[in-house]
Amino acid sequence: MDRMRASLLGLPRGKKRLVQVLTDVVLVWAALWLAFVVRLGIDEVANPIKDHLWLFLSAPVICIPLFIRFGMYRAVMRYFGNDALIVIIKAVSLASLILGFVVYWYSAHQNIVPRSIIFNFWWLSLIMVGGLRLAMRQYFLGDWYAASQHVPFTSRDDGLPKVAVYGAGAAGNQLVAALRLGKVMRPVAFIDDDSSIADRVISGLQVYKPRHIQRIIDMTGAQEVLLAIPSVSRARRREILGFLEGFPLHVRSIPGFMDLASGRVKVDDIQEVDIADLLGRDAVPAQDDLLERCIVGQSVIVTGAGGSIGSELCRQILGLGPKTLLLFEHSEFNLYSILSELEQRISRESLPTRVLPILGSVRNQGQLLDIMKTWSVDTVYHAAAYKHVPMVEHNIAEGVLNNVMGTLSTAQAALQAGVSNFVLISTDKAVRPTNVMGSTKRLAELTLQALSRELAPVLFADSSNVSQVNNTRFTMVRFGNVLGSSGSVIPLFHKQITSGGPLTVTHPKITRYFMTIPEAAQLVIQAGSMGQGGDVFVLDMGEPVRIVELAEKMIHLSGMSVRSERNPHGDIAIEFTGLRPGEKLYEELLIGDNVAATRHPKIMSANEDYLSWDALKDKLTQLLAAVSIDDYDRVRQLLRETVSGYAPEGEIVDWIYLQRRLDP
C-alpha cells in the first residue's frame, strides 16, 4: 500500500490528471447505470446500456468538460477540503441539469427515459465522485486512523505523541487538520466547555467535558493538551491553566487571536503556554486620542530602539502613522533586527512612514541635537538604559554615565531642539532602591523633574551660561518587569526545564510585578500623552507574583512534577541561590502614598519629591567628577544624598575599581 501510494504521488502532473479524468468517466457511467437499476430494478441490469447507448455516450461528454471548467482537476488530493466539495456539488448539479435537457429533447424522438433517472444520477454522482475523492485524500495522507477511530475492534498506534485539543471550534479543527497533515502528533480527543457538543464526534474525535480529562488520559493515553482557544480572555485562560495544572499533561497553545489575524503566525505554530495567561491580566482597550496625540503625522525618535521595550514601542508607533520614525540604538545587531522587521511591515502594509536607523550613543549630546534638529523631532521616547541589576552593580561607572548622563544629554538635546514631548521609560526599581541601577534611574527621573520646572534653564556643563527657553514637556512612566524582555526569568526557566532542571530561584519569598511588553508599550504611549510637565506616571501592574510559584506552575504545565522533600521522585527540582548583589525581595511602584487617578484606569499619577535644577546640577557635577577618578565610595555617598530611600547593600564591587585596589 505504501509503495503504491508513493508511486501514485510520484506521477507527473499530466498523468495524475489523466488518471482522474478516466476514473471520473467510469464513475459517471457507473452512476448512470445505477440510476437505471434503482429506477427499474435488478432484473433490468443489462437493458439500460443496450437501450440507451446514446445516453451513456453523452454523459461523460457533458460532465468531463464541466468538471474541467470548475477546476476539479486542479485540486491537490491530499489537501482536499470543504471548498472542493462545494465545487463538486456545483459541477455535478449543472451537469445533471444539462443532461436532463438532453434526455427530454432526445426522448421525444427515441425511447423514453424515466424522469427519475436524472435525479438518481445526480445524487449517485455526488456520492461516487465526492466520496472517492474523500477516500483518496485519507489514502494519500496515510491516515485511515481518523476515520476508523470509533469503529469497534479497530485500533492503531503509530508511535506519535498523543494530544488532546482544548477547544472544538474553528481553530481547534484547523489545528487537528494541520497535526494530521504534519504527522508529528496524533490528536486523540477534543475538550470543550460547551456542554451542547459534549460526547459528540467532530473531525473524527470525541468531544469531552473538562471534568473528564482523567478519563481522556486513561482511554486515549493523551500526553499533552494543546489550547486552541485564541479568542478567549486571559482571565478564562488562567482558570483553564489552573485546572489543567493538576494533571500530568504538558500544556501548550496556539498563538493569540491578534497574532493569527495579523498573519504573523499560523494555527499550527504551537508554542509553550504564554506566562501572561497565568497572570490572567486582560489589557484595557486603548484610548485612541491618547495613542495618537504625540505620534500621528509627527516625527518621532526612540532611543534604545533595539531593546525589549524600545522595539515594541517602534512597532506600535509605526502602526499609528508617524511621518518619520527614527531608530536610535548603539547595538548594530539590535538596530538591524528591528529595522528589518519594520521594513517588511511597511512593504507588506504599504505604510507611508519613513523609518531611519541611526547608530549612536545617548551620551553624545551633539549627535542627538543634530538628529533632532535635522528631522524636526516632535516626540522622544527615551528607552535606552542599562537595566540588569547585578550587571550595573558591578559596572558602576557605566551605569551612571549611561542611565544618568545619557538621560541628561538626551533631555538637553531635546530642549535645545525645541522638541514638544519627551517620555522617559523608568522602572519600579527606582523606588527606594538597594542597587545602583535603581538609584541611577531615580536620578534620571529627578533630572527630568528639575528641568521641567525651569522656564529657561542654563544647561548642565554650558560654559556660555546662557539660558535656554524650555518648550519641552517632560514625562516619566514607571513600571515593573515585562515578560519576555532581555534578562527575564521566564526564558531562563524554559531553558532550564528543557535541559532537565533544576530551576534556580534566588529566594523563596521573592516577588515581582509582571506585565506583557505590548501592554507596557501601549500604556507608555498613552501616559506620555497625558503629562503636563514633570509628571511621574505609574502603571497598574496588578498583583505581585511569587517567583517560586511561577516556577512550579511552569514545571506542572510542562507535564512534569516538582522534586522536593515531600516528592523525592519528582522530575525537576527548584534550587534557591540567594539574592544577587543589589536585589530586593519586594519591588515597589511608589515612593510615597500621594497618588492620583487619571483618565486611564491602568495609569496613576504619583506626586514625588524633586530637587531644584541648580541643586541637581551641583550634585551631577560632583557625581561626574567622582566617576572620572574612580572614587566609587564618593559615588555611593552622592547617590545616597540625592536619591530618597537609596539603601545600598554590601561592599562596592565595581570590577575595574576592585582590581585597581588589589593591584595598585
Side-chain angles (χ1 to χ4, degrees):
M1 293 287 287
D2 291 339
R3 191 179 299 117
M4 182 183 297
R5 179 166 55 244
S7 63
L8 287 173
L9 290 174
L11 289 175
R13 183 180 301 176
K15 289 187 177 180
K16 288 179 181 178
R17 290 183 175 177
L18 179 60
V19 170
Q20 286 182 278
V21 169
L22 294 176
T23 302
D24 282 343
V25 170
V26 174
L27 290 177
V28 167
W29 281 338
L32 188 57
W33 178 75
L34 285 174
F36 278 98
V37 172
V38 170
R39 172 65 179 84
L40 302 176
I42 196 67
D43 295 335
E44 301 292 333
V45 168
N47 291 338
I49 299 177
K50 181 179 62 176
D51 297 337
H52 305 285
L53 181 60
W54 64 271
L55 185 56
F56 280 86
L57 294 175
S58 302
V61 172
I62 294 172
C63 292
I64 299 303
L66 285 174
F67 291 176
I68 294 173
R69 180 66 183 84
F70 275 85
M72 286 173 53
Y73 303 117
R74 292 196 298 268
V76 179
M77 201 66 67
R78 282 171 291 171
Y79 308 128
F80 189 83
N82 293 336
D83 291 341
L85 284 176
I86 293 173
V87 168
I88 290 174
I89 292 173
K90 291 179 179 179
V92 170
S93 299
L94 182 57
S96 300
L97 185 61
I98 294 174
L99 189 63
F101 283 122
V102 172
V103 165
Y104 292 129
W105 175 81
Y106 194 80
S107 294
H109 306 87
Q110 299 291 335
N111 293 335
I112 296 176
V113 177
R115 296 179 181 179
S116 59
I117 293 298
I118 299 304
F119 176 74
N120 290 341
F121 172 75
W122 174 74
W123 66 262
L124 285 167
S125 296
L126 286 177
I127 293 174
M128 297 175 74
V129 174
L132 180 63
R133 279 167 167 76
L134 288 174
M136 294 307 293
R137 180 186 67 178
Q138 296 300 115
Y139 173 70
F140 286 128
L141 287 174
D143 188 14
W144 296 97
Y145 175 71
S148 64
Q149 184 180 3
H150 298 284
V151 178
F153 310 112
T154 62
S155 63
R156 175 180 172 185
D157 187 1
D158 51 14
L160 296 178
K162 296 180 175 64
V163 299
V165 177
Y166 201 115
N173 278 273
Q174 291 178 52
L175 178 59
V176 166
L179 292 177
R180 286 172 173 165
L181 188 63
K183 299 181 182 178
V184 177
M185 299 178 181
R186 170 67 60 192
V188 294
F190 275 120
I191 306 168
D192 202 280
D193 298 326
D194 187 354
S195 58
S196 65
I197 60 174
D199 300 324
R200 304 282 292 274
V201 174
I202 297 177
S203 295
L205 303 179
Q206 184 168 343
V207 182
Y208 293 86
K209 295 179 181 178
R211 66 171 182 266
H212 295 151
I213 289 181
Q214 189 58 52
R215 185 192 302 175
I216 297 174
I217 297 173
D218 296 338
M219 294 181 63
T220 67
Q223 304 158 294
E224 188 168 340
V225 170
L226 303 180
L227 302 181
I229 43 177
S231 59
V232 77
S233 69
R234 287 205 183 277
R236 177 57 187 149
R237 290 174 76 92
R238 183 183 184 182
E239 293 178 8
I240 293 171
L241 290 172
F243 176 71
L244 294 175
E245 193 181 342
F247 298 94
L249 295 166
H250 184 187
V251 182
R252 292 195 286 173
S253 68
I254 63 173
F257 178 79
M258 293 308 297
D259 289 329
L260 292 172
S262 65
R264 291 196 294 265
V265 293
K266 304 185 295 296
V267 168
D268 57 337
D269 286 337
I270 298 169
Q271 59 193 19
E272 294 297 330
V273 170
D274 189 347
I275 301 303
D277 294 335
L278 296 178
L279 304 181
R281 286 172 56 89
D282 285 311
V284 174
Q287 299 181 18
D288 292 339
D289 62 321
L290 293 180
L291 283 177
E292 298 170 354
R293 182 173 298 168
C294 300
I295 295 175
V296 175
Q298 301 183 41
S299 181
V300 181
I301 185 171
V302 178
T303 68
S308 305
I309 292 294
S311 59
E312 181 61 29
L313 280 170
C314 292
R315 295 182 190 102
Q316 297 198 21
I317 290 169
L318 181 62
L320 293 171
K323 179 178 64 178
T324 307
L325 176 56
L326 305 172
L327 315 178
F328 192 81
E329 172 64 55
H330 74 91
S331 168
E332 182 184 27
F333 175 76
N334 288 350
L335 183 61
Y336 171 77
S337 298
I338 186 61
L339 175 65
S340 299
E341 178 185 334
L342 297 183
E343 285 182 335
Q344 290 176 15
R345 181 177 172 188
I346 289 172
S347 175
R348 184 174 63 248
E349 301 178 15
S350 300
L351 300 177
T353 302
R354 184 176 186 180
V355 177
L356 300 170
I358 303 174
L359 278 171
S361 169
V362 290
R363 302 181 198 175
N364 190 339
Q365 183 172 328
Q367 181 192 19
L368 286 165
L369 178 57
D370 288 342
I371 293 168
M372 294 179 190
K373 282 185 173 179
T374 300
W375 297 101
S376 302
V377 171
D378 299 290
T379 303
V380 175
Y381 291 97
H382 182 53
Y386 290 143
K387 306 181 184 74
H388 195 274
V389 170
M391 197 73 71
V392 177
E393 199 70 14
H394 295 320
N395 295 271
I396 298 173
E398 287 302 304
V400 170
L401 292 174
N402 198 68
N403 293 357
V404 180
M405 306 312 296
T407 300
L408 175 64
S409 298
T410 309
Q412 291 194 153
L415 192 148
Q416 289 177 288
V419 172
S420 300
N421 311 293
F422 187 104
V423 182
L424 169 69
I425 285 74
S426 190
T427 171
D428 58 354
K429 294 174 178 61
V431 178
R432 282 182 280 273
T434 59
N435 50 70
V436 174
M437 193 281 281
S439 62
T440 55
K441 289 297 287 183
R442 177 55 186 150
L443 196 50
E445 291 181 356
L446 287 169
T447 300
L448 298 191
Q449 286 178 294
L451 273 176
S452 67
R453 284 164 173 79
E454 296 290 329
L455 296 178
V458 175
L459 300 183
F460 180 78
D462 185 358
S463 58
S464 65
N465 205 35
V466 175
S467 298
Q468 177 71 48
V469 177
N470 184 359
N471 293 317
T472 304
R473 183 171 56 91
F474 293 101
T475 304
M476 292 134 278
V477 185
R478 188 188 292 163
F479 55 92
N481 298 273
V482 288
L483 296 169
S485 66
S486 57
S488 171
V489 71
I490 307 304
L492 174 63
F493 282 169
H494 276 307
K495 183 178 180 180
Q496 290 174 336
I497 290 173
T498 303
S499 62
L503 268 63
T504 54
V505 180
T506 56
H507 193 282
K509 292 184 179 179
I510 193 169
T511 64
R512 288 292 180 266
Y513 291 99
F514 285 103
M515 177 180 286
T516 65
I517 294 178
E519 182 183 8
Q522 186 184 84
L523 290 174
V524 163
I525 294 172
Q526 294 178 86
S529 300
M530 291 193 293
Q532 301 300 314
D535 306 83
V536 178
F537 290 109
V538 179
L539 304 188
D540 179 2
M541 301 292 295
E543 295 298 322
V545 178
R546 288 186 64 204
I547 302 301
V548 67
E549 292 180 358
L550 192 62
E552 290 172 351
K553 287 179 180 294
M554 291 183 66
I555 292 173
H556 291 150
L557 293 173
S558 296
M560 292 175 275
S561 59
V562 179
R563 186 165 67 247
S564 62
E565 292 182 359
R566 290 182 296 177
N567 183 24
H569 302 293
D571 301 303
I572 295 181
I574 296 177
E575 292 184 359
F576 299 104
T577 59
L579 292 176
R580 298 174 297 177
E583 193 170 40
K584 296 170 68 175
L585 273 180
Y586 313 103
E587 298 291 0
E588 305 168 90
L589 290 168
L590 297 171
I591 296 175
D593 297 325
N594 196 351
V595 62
T598 68
R599 55 177 288 191
H600 196 291
K602 291 289 185 180
I603 303 174
M604 300 173 289
S605 177
N607 187 7
E608 307 283 25
D609 294 333
Y610 63 93
L611 297 176
S612 68
W613 177 235
D614 290 335
L616 186 63
K617 282 199 297 182
D618 180 60
K619 293 292 184 182
L620 292 176
T621 301
Q622 296 180 55
L623 185 64
L624 200 57
V627 168
S628 67
I629 60 173
D630 294 329
D631 187 354
Y632 296 109
D633 290 312
R634 178 61 176 158
V635 169
R636 173 174 285 193
Q637 179 185 349
L638 287 167
L639 290 175
R640 294 188 70 169
E641 292 174 359
T642 311
V643 176
S644 175
Y646 175 45
E649 298 180 351
E651 295 295 324
I652 297 174
V653 194
D654 184 280
W655 295 131
I656 299 176
Y657 172 68
L658 180 64
Q659 183 61 30
R660 287 179 180 173
R661 284 201 307 178
L662 295 176
D663 187 20

